[in-house]
Amino acid sequence: MIFAIVVIFLLGLCRAQTCEKKVERLQIQVNELSEQVSRQMALIETMQTSMESHVHGRSVEKRAGTASVAFMANLDHTVEVLHVNQRIEFNNVMLNTGGGYSSSGLFIAPVSGTYLFAFSIHMNRYQQIFTQLMINGNPVNSAITESFSNYGDTQGTAVSIAYVNAGWHVWVEMFHDQQTRIEGSYGGSSFCGTLLA
């Protein structure tokens, strides 16, 4: 009987030691895994910080290159007569980020880059209007607006993308001699531009 008790005790002790060894091994594995997780978390944080600074840096660069220059203006009155080479004065300035646009219809590029420009000419009389976008004295694009009846509203539009150096002048003018009347009462005659890159 004592022998059986001793055997049971020794078996229990062996099992306890085996369990302790298993627990020790599991604790070592848990510690190793915790260290690995800590290293991985530190690496993820480093990568996130690097990515965020890269993304924020690029978005700041992009904002500086695209949204720092933009303008939008329309004509808020009717112009009864235009002459050849006369600049159209889109006088109602709604946006002038970068300060390059003047209500006299002249945009002076504050920085060099690739710009998008667009203009629309609205008329509602029996006539033709020949207008063009000018960059530093050179014609770039044109729009012809033509109506075949009085009060036959029409609108000519042109869109251009061009590289413009800082200080260059951009405007819209009439380029062909006709009796002209540009409608401005409804905001349909407008000029806008923005720096793309």
Side-chain angles (χ1 to χ4, degrees):
M1 175 98 158
I2 292 180
F3 177 73
I5 293 173
V6 170
V7 168
I8 292 172
F9 174 75
L10 288 175
L11 283 175
L13 186 60
C14 286
R15 283 188 189 149
Q17 287 177 349
T18 302
C19 285
E20 282 181 21
K21 286 182 182 178
K22 284 183 181 179
V23 167
E24 284 176 18
R25 277 184 289 187
L26 286 174
Q27 187 63 45
I28 290 169
Q29 286 178 347
V30 165
N31 290 341
E32 288 174 358
L33 288 173
S34 291
E35 287 175 16
Q36 284 180 0
V37 167
S38 295
R39 285 193 301 270
Q40 294 295 326
M41 290 300 290
L43 181 61
I44 288 170
E45 284 178 21
T46 302
M47 291 172 71
Q48 274 182 323
T49 303
S50 173
M51 248 175 54
E52 285 172 4
S53 67
H54 180 70
V55 167
H56 290 310
R58 285 185 59 129
S59 64
V60 165
E61 286 172 11
K62 188 172 182 185
R63 270 199 305 275
T66 58
S68 63
V69 181
F71 71 92
M72 173 69 188
N74 65 18
L75 195 61
D76 68 358
H77 62 283
T78 298
V79 176
E80 294 294 339
V81 178
L82 282 174
H83 304 287
V84 172
N85 300 325
Q86 181 180 345
R87 183 171 65 227
I88 301 170
E89 298 181 2
F90 299 92
N91 63 308
N92 183 29
V93 182
M94 294 174 282
L95 174 70
N96 194 13
T97 306
Y101 185 77
S102 148
S103 60
S104 67
L106 182 65
F107 172 73
I108 301 174
V111 296
S112 298
T114 302
Y115 285 80
L116 180 140
F117 298 103
F119 71 92
S120 291
I121 302 297
H122 173 214
M123 57 178 274
N124 63 358
R125 297 285 171 92
Y126 179 71
Q127 62 185 15
Q128 291 178 319
I129 300 175
F130 298 82
T131 51
Q132 62 189 358
L133 178 72
M134 302 291 290
I135 297 180
N136 226 37
N138 299 306
V140 174
N141 202 353
S142 63
I144 299 171
T145 310
E146 183 172 17
S147 178
F148 295 101
S149 68
N150 281 337
Y151 305 104
D153 290 277
T154 58
Q155 190 173 30
T157 301
V159 178
S160 300
I161 296 175
Y163 186 84
V164 177
N165 283 321
W168 281 10
H169 294 192
V170 182
W171 69 91
V172 177
E173 69 176 32
M174 192 177 108
F175 71 91
H176 184 66
D177 193 17
Q178 290 283 329
Q179 286 288 10
T180 58
R181 179 180 190 273
I182 297 177
E183 181 61 55
S185 303
Y186 309 108
S189 295
S190 61
F191 181 32
C192 64
T194 187
L195 179 63
L196 297 175

